[in-house]
Amino acid sequence: MASEKITAIIDEIKGLSILELKELIDTYCEEFDVSAVAAAAPAAAGAAPAAEEKTEFDVVLAEVGASKMQVIKTVKEITGLGLKEAKELVDNAPKTLKEAVAKAEAEDMKKKLEDVGAKIELK
């Protein structure tokens, strides 16, 4: 929680027009010998961890393609489902085949299914 002094300053800044705010920033930068880019850098650095690479993916069968039987066989092999369940998944595309799969496994599944003509999305 910010102190009363800081809260009062923030409330005062909220009341400024755009031109007054620009003048405030310019004066601040001049007074403390900093640039607006340098002042904004800590905020940008804090946002960097949010851009981490995703490690788990959902494998979604978007389209079956021309060779439906091959796709059913591959879905059966990948998911460990029975023939009937694999056929239902394929018939009801787009459908999620597996959730929260490691990146390498998801890419392997995608390659196998695309090799038999299916269109796959990793989400």
Side-chain angles (χ1 to χ4, degrees):
M1 186 86 189
S3 69
E4 288 182 33
K5 189 174 183 180
I6 300 297
T7 305
I9 293 170
I10 296 297
D11 288 339
E12 193 68 34
I13 291 172
K14 286 180 182 179
L16 296 177
S17 70
I18 299 294
L19 291 175
E20 291 171 326
L21 186 58
K22 182 186 180 322
E23 185 180 344
L24 172 67
I25 292 170
D26 291 343
T27 306
Y28 175 86
C29 290
E30 187 178 307
E31 180 71 28
F32 295 104
D33 196 29
V34 294
S35 70
V37 174
E52 290 180 16
E53 188 175 336
K54 193 173 178 182
T55 57
E56 291 185 340
F57 296 88
D58 294 344
V59 180
V60 178
L61 175 64
E63 293 177 24
V64 177
S67 55
K68 185 176 178 180
M69 288 303 295
Q70 289 299 320
V71 174
I72 292 172
K73 288 179 183 178
T74 307
V75 167
K76 181 180 177 285
E77 172 193 328
I78 288 173
T79 61
L81 295 172
L83 185 60
K84 181 181 176 185
E85 292 84 4
K87 182 182 182 311
E88 286 176 9
L89 270 176
V90 172
D91 287 342
N92 294 313
K95 214 54 166 167
T96 301
L97 300 178
K98 278 196 170 182
E99 295 179 344
V101 179
K103 183 178 180 179
E105 183 181 355
E107 288 176 350
D108 184 50
M109 291 171 67
K110 180 178 179 180
K111 183 182 181 325
K112 284 181 181 179
L113 286 160
E114 285 180 342
D115 286 348
V116 294
K119 183 177 179 199
I120 302 299
E121 296 175 358
L122 300 180
K123 295 185 178 183

